Amino acid sequence: MTIISAKKEGGYMPKTLTVANWKMNGNRKLWKELAREVTAGMSEINTKVVLATPAAAFADVSSFLSEHSKVSLGAQDIHQQSSGAHTGDISAEMVKDFGGKYTLVGHSERRLEHHEKGFLLNDKVKQAIKEGLVPIFCFGESLGQKENGRTLSVLEEQVNEALEGVVLKTGEELVLAYEPVWAISSSAGSLGREPSEGELSEVFEFIYKLLLERFGESVASNVKLLYGGSVKADNVAKIISNRYIAGVLVGGASLKADSFLAIARGVASKPNEV
Ligand code: PEP
């Protein structure tokens, strides 16, 4: 199956999404300010956003979101099991209890610092879907892998491992975020730049093709594909112009409401529905 045939049949056109990854930053004062300012600013912006906050922020942040249809709460990780003796972890059920709708899975910092990969991430994706959370599965090659010409083979392995045995009804239950480790602003050895338009096209066409082969067009075309790594207000328009990119995942620039809202505004400029 080729990309051209998908395009001819209507092809890829999911709704847009912007995800903030606050990582392990801030305190209650900052979290509440950010949640208040983002929810207020989003009333003018025609897209949806997710705030992937530290678990300690769930209560404060969720108090601003309860009635907000455009801003959702997300976790940065969940455990692959429902409950039990897993010190330090949080479950999908706990995220949902605070109104959370999404969870990141497999962020490169979890892969690096907590050695998460392969089967474990597959289990986390399945657990999120089973519990009714949308997993935002993060994947991406390191600088060394890129320099050795292994980008596509690494991505294929990461995505195929994570999606093994995953059953989707519509495709809206899954988000994939391509985050090349070399582009993440805070990574050691980061090049501090987003990929070129050519690099993005090569990767996103490839990933969409993997989805087409695995799920077929009617489901693949509803899976949101995001880009993450050094996204800012001044490069988001170029990134979002790629036809396979439905939105962005934002780290550093999500810690200031005005820069995050400017990025969401850029995403919303993509001709699409909320
Ligand atoms: C990230 O780590 O998920 C990320 C996208 O970071 P940044 O936007 O700071 O590059």
Side-chain angles (χ1 to χ4, degrees):
M1 185 158 344
T2 65
I3 300 298
I4 305 297
S5 76
K7 196 171 177 177
K8 228 171 31 194
E9 290 161 24
Y12 182 72
M13 192 92 172
K15 295 162 188 172
T16 54
L17 186 70
T18 304
V19 181
N21 178 9
W22 292 356
K23 307 193 180 185
M24 196 177 73
N25 289 303
N27 50 32
R28 296 186 71 189
K29 182 169 178 293
L30 178 74
W31 300 332
K32 286 191 263 190
E33 269 168 27
L34 277 174
R36 184 183 306 110
E37 289 171 20
V38 169
T39 47
M42 281 304 295
S43 61
E44 307 296 325
I45 302 175
N46 194 29
T47 187
K48 288 192 173 175
V49 303
V50 176
L51 304 179
T53 78
F58 287 173
D60 285 330
V61 172
S62 64
S63 68
F64 289 90
L65 310 188
S66 44
E67 301 301 321
H68 212 293
S69 60
K70 289 190 200 164
V71 187
S72 299
L73 178 68
Q76 296 175 10
D77 180 51
I78 54 161
H79 196 274
Q80 66 277 16
Q81 289 176 16
S82 301
S83 65
H86 306 291
T87 304
D89 282 309
I90 61 166
S91 68
E93 184 67 41
M94 294 172 192
V95 180
K96 285 193 301 179
D97 208 16
F98 285 94
K101 297 201 164 60
Y102 294 81
T103 182
L104 303 183
V105 172
H107 189 278
S108 58
E109 287 146 20
R110 300 287 313 171
R111 293 173 188 265
L112 194 69
E113 296 177 16
H114 299 271
H115 312 291
E116 295 192 357
K117 61 179 180 177
F119 295 127
L120 173 71
L121 298 178
N122 180 233
D123 284 346
K124 290 191 178 201
V125 167
K126 288 177 174 160
Q127 174 69 2
I129 293 173
K130 183 173 88 124
E131 295 291 334
L133 287 181
V134 176
I136 302 170
F137 175 70
C138 305
F139 61 99
E141 81 283 14
S142 67
L143 183 58
Q145 290 164 334
K146 174 181 169 58
E147 286 173 345
N148 288 328
R150 294 183 50 220
T151 297
L152 296 186
S153 62
V154 168
L155 303 185
E156 181 170 19
E157 190 180 334
Q158 290 178 354
V159 170
N160 280 339
E161 275 179 347
L163 298 185
E164 183 60 38
V166 168
V167 179
L168 300 177
K169 289 193 184 112
T170 66
E172 291 185 14
E173 314 97 299
L174 176 68
V175 176
L176 297 184
Y178 170 55
E179 297 211 299
V181 181
W182 53 268
I184 293 178
S185 62
S186 53
S187 296
S190 169
L191 299 182
R193 66 158 177 94
E194 76 284 7
S196 66
E197 287 175 62
E199 286 169 328
L200 286 176
S201 293
E202 183 186 36
V203 165
F204 278 86
E205 288 197 13
F206 181 74
I207 299 302
Y208 186 57
K209 186 161 172 279
L210 288 183
L211 290 178
L212 278 178
E213 284 163 357
R214 180 174 288 275
F215 296 118
E217 208 243 343
S218 62
V219 168
S221 62
N222 286 322
V223 176
K224 291 181 181 54
L225 300 180
L226 309 184
Y227 167 75
S230 294
V231 178
K232 301 187 188 65
D234 60 8
N235 63 11
V236 67
K238 185 183 86 178
I239 293 165
I240 203 77
S241 69
N242 181 297
R243 70 178 300 264
Y244 294 104
I245 299 182
V248 293
L249 201 166
V250 187
S254 72
L255 292 170
K256 291 216 165 81
D258 56 354
S259 56
F260 182 67
L261 288 167
I263 290 170
R265 210 170 283 118
V267 169
S269 70
K270 188 168 179 119
N272 224 322
E273 296 162 43
V274 174

